[in-house]
Amino acid sequence: MTYIIIIIGAIFVNNIVLNQFLGICPFIGVSKKINTAIGMSGAVLFVMTLATIVTWLIQNYVLNPFGIQFLQTITFILVIASLVQMVEIILKKVSPALFQALGIFLPLITTNCAVLGVAILTIQKDFNLMEGVVFAIANAIGFGLALVLFSGIREHLELMEVPKGMRGVPIALISAGILALAFMGFANLV
Amino acid sequence: MNQLQNFTKGFIKDNPVFVLLLGLCPTLGVTTTAINGLGMGLATTFVLVMSNLVVSLIKNLIPDKVRIPSFIVIIASFVTIVELTMQAYTPALFEALGLFIPLIVVNCIVLGRAEAFASKNNIISSVIDGLGMGLGFAFALFLLGAVREILGSGAILSMKFIQGDGVLVFILPPGAFIALGYLIAIMNRLKKTT
């Protein structure tokens, strides 16, 4: 039951992009086409889950026992950065096809605050490892959902006659606002 | 480029939020009130100035290949300092900004300035660049926070000027996107005329 609440909460109620404002850069940056949006979501799903597992283990088996929680920020960002590098190298060797699909998105993920944000949130919410993994996957799905929905909207916006000053980013942000408004319908669901 | 231009470019011409579109996560996330926006802006300014200073000091010592990880460690150290200081001296602001304080680490502006400016310029220009960019960021956050506060709760700097609630949606997440969208549109218009 807790898992279902975590999943619905992370995907719909507290959507990581539209409600928590994490990962806005890729949300605006790579949402011009549905295909790139799907690629980015796949890469985020992969890295976010892995990063949450590793950071959870570090927090509970290194930082907590030694009482050095104040090093959390430094450790986590380093772990995520090296993890991304490692995933890139392994993927290149093991599965060139997957690397082709996700490759260009991987370096971008280091500075995606959604990954670090979810890692820290998992610790703050006191999840155990399994809950943390479910939380990470659900958040990644929420990220993907918002990104794909938004890229669909933006593909249509390309064809619309938008007032000159609003073209590009302004109209994209306002559409994102309306999308967020739609997601507010899920509030109080859990 | 003289130092004055170097300082002022962050406010309008190369404003991190309105023009470069960097650091949008904290911009949207913390600006429910003008004070929160300003607090976040100043915290980021501190990190930006200090990391620019240190990066420009040791730019010749860092091998090119491990440049980015080194920058990240430097930035993360200053973020930790800010985090602990705010927790001790401004607990209310620390609560309000929450998750976004550790996330200054992944704010693209900080790493972006370290990589694009501080690693190529001398100490004085780097500090001035950091200060200008940081204050430009703070200015943008303050402006967005003020707009959202005025429309959303009918208050300026927590002083109410209407009875009851404002247009509540501007305090809620969707209002952040909409307000920022219109502000960027206005900025684009202003830039064209000047």
Side-chain angles (χ1 to χ4, degrees):
Chain A
M1 197 57 207
T2 37
Y3 294 129
I4 295 171
I5 289 174
I6 291 175
I7 291 171
I8 295 187
I11 298 180
F12 296 112
V13 183
N14 290 317
N15 185 282
I16 186 159
V17 181
L18 297 169
N19 203 300
Q20 314 260 340
F21 302 115
L22 298 175
I24 298 285
C25 295
F27 182 66
I28 302 285
V30 295
S31 60
K32 289 205 177 99
K33 288 212 181 76
I34 290 188
N35 285 342
T36 47
I38 293 173
M40 184 70 186
S41 314
V44 166
L45 176 66
F46 197 57
V47 174
M48 198 182 270
T49 315
L50 221 55
T52 306
I53 297 172
V54 176
T55 51
W56 190 91
L57 291 174
I58 289 181
Q59 176 78 30
N60 283 284
Y61 291 104
V62 181
L63 297 187
N64 284 350
F66 291 104
I68 44 174
Q69 286 92 343
F70 65 92
L71 286 177
Q72 192 190 51
T73 312
I74 299 179
T75 330
F76 280 19
I77 189 67
L78 273 182
V79 165
I80 291 171
S82 34
L83 200 68
V84 171
Q85 286 271 311
M86 218 170 70
V87 167
E88 210 177 334
I89 295 166
I90 294 175
L91 222 54
K92 210 175 192 171
K93 194 92 183 155
V94 177
S95 164
L98 198 60
F99 181 75
Q100 279 286 318
L102 304 182
I104 48 165
F105 301 109
L106 283 173
L108 292 174
I109 290 182
T110 316
T111 50
N112 182 343
C113 52
V115 177
L116 182 61
V118 167
I120 296 177
L121 277 176
T122 308
I123 306 298
Q124 277 181 0
K125 286 179 190 268
D126 250 340
F127 284 147
N128 63 34
L129 185 56
M130 202 53 220
E131 287 169 343
V133 171
V134 172
F135 183 66
I137 293 174
N139 267 312
I141 293 172
F143 176 81
L145 180 69
L147 196 62
V148 171
L149 279 177
F150 188 52
S151 62
I153 295 173
R154 278 188 90 171
E155 281 191 353
H156 281 278
L157 274 179
E158 293 283 299
L159 306 170
M160 297 289 153
E161 217 165 292
V162 179
K164 219 181 191 173
M166 303 294 288
R167 269 177 214 165
V169 178
I171 192 71
L173 279 169
I174 290 166
S175 333
I178 296 168
L179 189 59
L181 210 52
F183 266 74
M184 277 188 59
F186 294 115
N188 299 329
L189 199 62
V190 288
Chain B
M1 186 160 54
N2 64 34
Q3 298 295 12
L4 187 68
Q5 274 174 326
N6 187 12
F7 178 67
T8 53
K9 68 175 188 288
F11 284 83
I12 303 288
K13 193 166 119 316
D14 280 333
N15 188 289
V17 175
F18 296 134
V19 181
L20 305 177
L21 301 171
L22 295 175
L24 289 185
C25 302
T27 307
L28 294 166
V30 303
T31 50
T32 45
T33 67
I35 289 295
N36 284 357
L38 194 62
M40 185 68 204
L42 293 180
T44 311
T45 306
F46 172 77
V47 175
L48 200 49
V49 171
M50 295 312 285
S51 66
N52 262 9
L53 173 75
V54 174
V55 166
S56 74
L57 269 175
I58 59 171
K59 60 177 183 283
N60 295 328
L61 300 176
I62 305 174
D64 210 38
K65 271 193 180 149
V66 291
R67 182 172 90 249
I68 301 287
S70 328
F71 293 169
I72 291 179
V73 176
I74 294 168
I75 295 167
S77 321
F78 286 113
V79 170
T80 307
I81 294 173
V82 168
E83 205 180 337
L84 295 174
T85 314
M86 285 178 87
Q87 198 170 8
Y89 293 103
T90 55
L93 192 61
F94 181 80
E95 281 294 310
L97 301 182
L99 186 59
F100 287 100
I101 299 172
L103 288 182
I104 297 175
V105 172
V106 280
N107 189 327
C108 334
I109 304 167
V110 186
L111 189 60
R113 292 326 285 178
E115 164 74 3
F117 198 92
S119 64
K120 297 187 184 72
N121 287 281
N122 63 33
I123 299 164
I124 298 171
S125 333
S126 300
V127 169
I128 291 175
D129 174 80
L131 197 63
M133 278 289 168
L135 291 179
F137 181 67
F139 162 70
L141 260 65
F142 180 73
L143 196 63
L144 183 61
V147 168
R148 286 181 69 189
E149 198 180 350
I150 290 169
L151 293 174
S153 48
I156 302 172
L157 299 172
S158 312
M159 285 177 288
K160 289 279 254 185
F161 61 81
I162 59 159
Q163 296 286 317
D165 291 328
V167 190
L168 208 58
V169 74
F170 279 99
I171 309 246
L172 297 169
F177 287 107
I178 296 171
L180 183 63
Y182 278 109
L183 273 180
I184 290 177
I186 293 169
M187 282 290 165
N188 284 345
R189 181 81 184 81
L190 283 179
K191 262 204 338 192
K192 217 168 258 171
T193 49
T194 50

